[in-house]
Amino acid sequence: MRRAESPSQSVRQLRLLQRQRDHQKGSVSFLRDKERVVPLFFSWIGPGRRGILIERGRACWRLVWEGREETEMAVTVTRVIPGSPAEEAGFQAGDRLLKVNGNEIGDVLDYQFYSSETEVELEFESGGELQGVIVEKDEYEDLGLEFETYLMDKQHSCTNNCIFCFVDQMPPGMRETLYFKDDDERLSFLFGNYVTLTNLHQREIDRIKRMHISPVNVSVHTTNPDLRREMMGNRFAGEKLDYLRQLAQAGIRLNCQIVLCPGYNDGAELDRTMADLGSLWPSVSSVSVVPVGLTKYRQGLCQLTPFTPAAAGTVLDQIHRFTDAFLQAHGTRLIYPGDEFFILAGRPLPDSSYYGDFEQLQNGVGMTALLLEEFESELARLQDPVQTAPCDLVTGVCAAGYIRGMVDELARRVPGLQARVHVVENEYFGGNVTVAGLVTATDIERQVGGKLLSRRVLVPTCMLRHEQDKFLDDVPREVLEERLGAKLTLVENDGYGFIQAVLGGNVQ
């Protein structure tokens, strides 16, 4: 780390002292040691005397003061990473961080934003004393503090009662965390979650604009205020559409989502929504349209019907009328229908060029087209494998045709390949749920057990939770392996990984 030059040391120190002048008066003396200005002592006119310390291994200064009022917002440090700037500055577990560069810290966005600079002034409480330290570090270098939760705050929950909410129609008896409805704008920026904006206030929108947090992923569903209130069961849902316009005007990049429900936001309402979102381009840089997912657990909920093949075709035609014109005018399609619409309508998927920069990939849109392109590219480079290992592949109904097609094509290139595709119907959730990501260990065991070709079963990573240890029904990976009498191999959603896994890693 860099050591501060002498002329700037006193300036930085006095800047910190100046900010405390409204609280107490004090005096400072300096001892000039060759080219360095070293703070010698600091005495407050107030209770007690406290010293200023120099951390020799890093350009930072510690200041301790008393008599200040307690800061309202504080977050407790649970761990200090060894060798980090925070450790060298004297932080310990149990300290309470109050301010960064004079700004109160409410959550991880405040912390990351204000601590990204090369010079960071920290105010914190340690052992009952209020202290301050100035640290020099590389730009965007992490300070090395860890907190009780990643967000440094409670996760924001959803305040809506959407007619299509998937959480409301999940089976009973699943792990508790799956029933939590999050609607947290911070998770949108950090992890790509979609938010509705209904639980935000103007101060939070102002913070997004001030920090220029981008992109923000927004579940819009409709731009008709009255219809949005009805569909989302929230009396504020319509007026909160103004936040979308504010963010667009501030140049915040927005990815939007429409969950399409027959008889509600389709037809003329979809035309209106597409036109309204198109008017906010280029801030609105992509929009996905996905069909509503319905399980068999909808007792007492709003009556919704799934899309038929004919209705799915109608939606595709409607979207393409808009996107063809938009592409000609602006060079981008802007709006992309989910893969399920093409599969349900019995139409071929577009090639990867259709999806532009794949901005909706995290929403599952274009995922199959990208997988197929990567598969073909890797297949063209494939040399003769040393040997092949028999395997079984598990997938959901939605992608079954494409998985089978890839296995058949691979078998034509690799004589003697033994691979069996098992298509698992989702009996656990029922309804029109067909995607691989919602296939459970319970259904795999019931439908695949006793039918295996090998002792090596390939499953996509999306079937397990983030830690890759449990399925959606809370069955541990090793438990399913024991019940099947086979080893599970997790396969990423990319063409190279698919070929590697099917051939047992024996690819030259």
Side-chain angles (χ1 to χ4, degrees):
M1 302 303 297
R2 298 181 306 277
R3 181 177 298 278
E5 297 295 327
S6 57
S8 60
Q9 285 191 344
S10 58
V11 172
R12 294 187 182 98
Q13 187 63 59
L14 290 173
R15 183 188 305 164
L16 179 57
L17 303 183
Q18 179 68 34
R19 292 180 180 176
Q20 308 310 320
R21 187 169 294 172
D22 293 338
H23 300 283
Q24 295 177 333
K25 294 181 179 180
S27 60
V28 63
S29 298
F30 291 95
L31 172 66
R32 185 165 298 277
D33 176 16
K34 294 183 179 180
E35 297 301 318
R36 292 181 297 120
V37 178
V38 181
L40 180 62
F41 70 90
F42 187 86
S43 71
W44 289 116
I45 299 176
R49 296 168 63 89
R50 292 294 181 265
I52 297 178
L53 306 179
I54 289 289
E55 302 290 344
R56 296 293 182 182
R58 187 178 298 270
C60 64
W61 302 265
R62 176 189 292 263
L63 170 65
V64 182
W65 63 87
E66 292 181 345
R68 281 185 44 192
E69 294 181 0
E70 182 72 17
T71 303
E72 292 183 2
M73 304 180 71
V75 286
T76 301
V77 176
T78 57
R79 179 173 178 262
V80 181
I81 297 175
S84 66
E87 185 191 49
E88 294 195 28
F91 271 89
Q92 300 177 12
D95 290 349
R96 299 172 68 237
L97 180 64
L98 305 174
K99 289 185 178 182
V100 176
N101 285 344
N103 299 282
E104 291 186 337
I105 301 302
D107 60 23
V108 65
L109 293 189
D110 290 336
Y111 175 70
Q112 290 187 356
F113 182 78
Y114 294 118
S115 66
S116 64
E117 300 177 13
T118 57
E119 181 184 282
V120 182
E121 175 188 320
L122 305 172
E123 298 178 29
F124 61 102
E125 180 186 284
S126 181
E129 292 182 326
L130 297 176
Q131 303 189 22
V133 63
I134 298 177
V135 176
E136 281 196 348
K137 63 181 186 60
D138 292 333
E139 189 174 18
Y140 299 111
E141 179 186 4
D142 185 55
L143 286 171
L145 296 175
E146 293 185 359
F147 305 91
E148 184 176 358
T149 65
Y150 178 78
L151 291 175
M152 302 166 61
D153 184 23
K154 291 182 179 180
Q155 191 171 345
H156 298 168
S157 61
C158 181
T159 58
N160 306 315
N161 187 26
C162 296
I163 61 174
F164 49 81
C165 178
F166 196 82
V167 176
D168 287 342
Q169 45 180 330
M170 290 204 307
M174 304 181 75
R175 60 179 178 270
E176 185 177 350
T177 54
L178 294 175
Y179 298 103
F180 179 79
K181 302 179 185 180
D182 75 83
D183 195 8
D184 198 314
E185 79 282 2
R186 301 164 301 183
L187 296 179
S188 179
F189 173 67
L190 295 169
F191 300 114
N193 293 23
Y194 276 77
V195 294
T196 65
L197 306 179
T198 56
N199 61 356
L200 298 186
H201 299 88
Q202 187 61 52
R203 65 178 180 274
E204 291 150 333
I205 297 298
D206 291 340
R207 181 175 75 158
I208 293 174
K209 294 189 292 184
R210 182 176 68 255
M211 295 183 176
H212 204 81
I213 296 172
S214 187
V216 176
N217 299 334
V218 183
S219 292
V220 178
H221 308 311
T222 177
T223 54
N224 179 335
D226 293 333
L227 180 59
R228 195 168 195 254
R229 281 192 289 270
E230 178 185 357
M231 292 187 68
M232 300 180 69
N234 187 319
R235 62 192 180 97
F236 301 109
E239 66 187 61
K240 293 302 176 78
L241 286 170
D242 180 63
Y243 288 166
L244 192 70
R245 289 183 280 270
Q246 286 189 44
L247 295 175
Q249 291 168 1
I252 304 299
R253 186 162 66 88
L254 302 164
N255 296 314
C256 299
Q257 173 185 247
I258 301 169
V259 174
L260 209 59
C261 301
Y264 282 87
N265 57 342
D266 57 349
E269 291 293 347
L270 178 58
D271 284 332
R272 170 179 175 165
T273 300
M274 290 191 294
D276 288 344
L277 294 179
S279 70
L280 299 179
W281 180 84
S283 290
V284 171
S285 60
S286 73
V287 181
S288 64
V289 183
V290 297
V292 61
L294 304 174
T295 77
K296 61 184 178 183
Y297 298 95
R298 291 196 57 82
Q299 296 81 2
L301 300 177
C302 176
Q303 292 296 314
L304 294 175
T305 58
F307 280 94
T308 64
T314 298
V315 169
L316 289 175
D317 294 338
Q318 181 181 7
I319 292 175
H320 286 152
R321 283 194 295 271
F322 176 89
T323 59
D324 289 348
F326 204 89
L327 177 64
Q328 186 174 5
H330 303 290
T332 178
R333 294 185 182 277
L334 182 64
I335 298 177
Y336 303 94
D339 296 0
E340 302 96 322
F341 278 119
F342 290 99
I343 295 170
L344 182 58
R347 299 186 184 182
L349 282 174
D351 61 33
S352 59
S353 63
Y354 173 92
Y355 296 97
D357 294 330
F358 286 94
E359 292 181 275
Q360 290 284 343
L361 192 63
Q362 193 164 359
N363 210 20
V365 177
M367 183 177 294
T368 307
L370 183 60
L371 173 64
L372 294 174
E373 180 188 66
E374 292 171 341
F375 173 81
E376 294 294 341
S377 176
E378 294 301 329
L379 189 64
R381 291 196 290 266
L382 181 66
Q383 301 178 18
D384 293 334
V386 176
Q387 61 182 7
T388 61
C391 70
D392 294 82
L393 299 89
V394 174
T395 187
V397 173
C398 188
Y402 299 99
I403 300 299
R404 280 175 170 154
M406 289 192 294
V407 170
D408 291 344
E409 192 170 354
L410 188 57
R412 288 191 288 270
R413 284 289 309 276
V414 183
L417 175 65
Q418 298 181 62
R420 179 177 295 171
V421 177
H422 302 267
V423 181
V424 178
E425 294 188 8
N426 202 317
E427 298 174 354
Y428 193 89
F429 285 97
N432 71 339
V433 177
T434 61
V435 295
L438 293 176
V439 170
T440 61
T442 302
D443 283 340
I444 294 175
E445 181 187 357
R446 289 175 180 172
Q447 299 177 39
V448 176
K451 302 176 184 178
L452 295 177
L453 173 70
S454 69
R455 291 185 177 274
R456 193 168 65 94
V457 180
L458 278 54
V459 298
T461 55
C462 62
M463 287 186 183
L464 289 90
R465 68 177 185 174
H466 177 72
E467 293 82 358
Q468 303 288 272
D469 60 342
K470 289 183 179 181
F471 287 82
L472 201 56
D473 53 358
D474 224 24
V475 175
R477 176 178 167 182
E478 59 271 17
V479 171
L480 181 59
E481 289 178 330
E482 182 179 351
R483 292 173 181 175
L484 294 178
K487 186 71 174 176
L488 298 185
T489 298
L490 303 185
V491 184
E492 296 287 347
N493 190 70
D494 68 81
Y496 178 74
F498 181 88
I499 292 176
Q500 282 275 356
V502 172
L503 298 182
N506 299 308
V507 180
Q508 294 181 345

